Amino acid sequence: QVQLVESGGGLVQAGGSLRLSCAASGRTFSTYIMGWFRQAPGKEREFVAASSGSGGNTYFADSVRGRFTISRDNAKNTVYLQMNSLKPEDTAVYYCAADQALYIFHGFVQGEADYWGQGTQVTVSS
């Protein structure tokens, strides 16, 4: 069982930056692909970014590519989402997700992750 705890959300003005963190329990963190999803009010949850276990492969939604980066520190069992040039439409609850796999697979991007965090609110004001 893996437990995920997000932090770093908050209120920021448009154009600003935030860094989210997701701390995972367990001793095999590097064997998990890690990702971020978000859900805005009245909308379905959507994929944001993912990282392979080593961090060598990453994948982003078109809406955030070039503005967001995902990184991980396997020694600290933590994955990060650096969000720059934030827009009001980035406002959502952001969730960390994990799945034990070698590669980022299509199902993961579609939300088929084994483990989820509780979420952290990000609000971008215009």
Side-chain angles (χ1 to χ4, degrees), residues 53-104:
S54 67
N57 290 297
T58 57
Y59 184 65
F60 297 91
D62 289 343
S63 59
V64 305
R65 188 173 292 115
R67 299 188 297 123
F68 291 11
T69 58
I70 186 170
S71 61
R72 61 194 295 162
D73 185 337
N74 286 346
K76 295 182 178 180
N77 281 18
T78 302
V79 63
Y80 305 97
L81 184 68
Q82 178 66 44
M83 305 184 294
N84 298 327
S85 302
L86 283 161
K87 305 175 182 180
E89 51 264 43
D90 294 318
T91 295
V93 177
Y94 282 70
Y95 297 91
C96 178
D99 201 291
Q100 194 165 29
L102 291 177
Y103 304 105
I104 301 169

Side-chain angles (χ1 to χ4, degrees), residues 8-12 16-20 81-84 86 122-123:
L11 174 65
V12 64
S17 298
L18 277 176
R19 188 177 80 156
L20 305 183
L81 184 68
Q82 178 66 44
M83 305 184 294
N84 298 327
L86 283 161
V122 172
T123 303

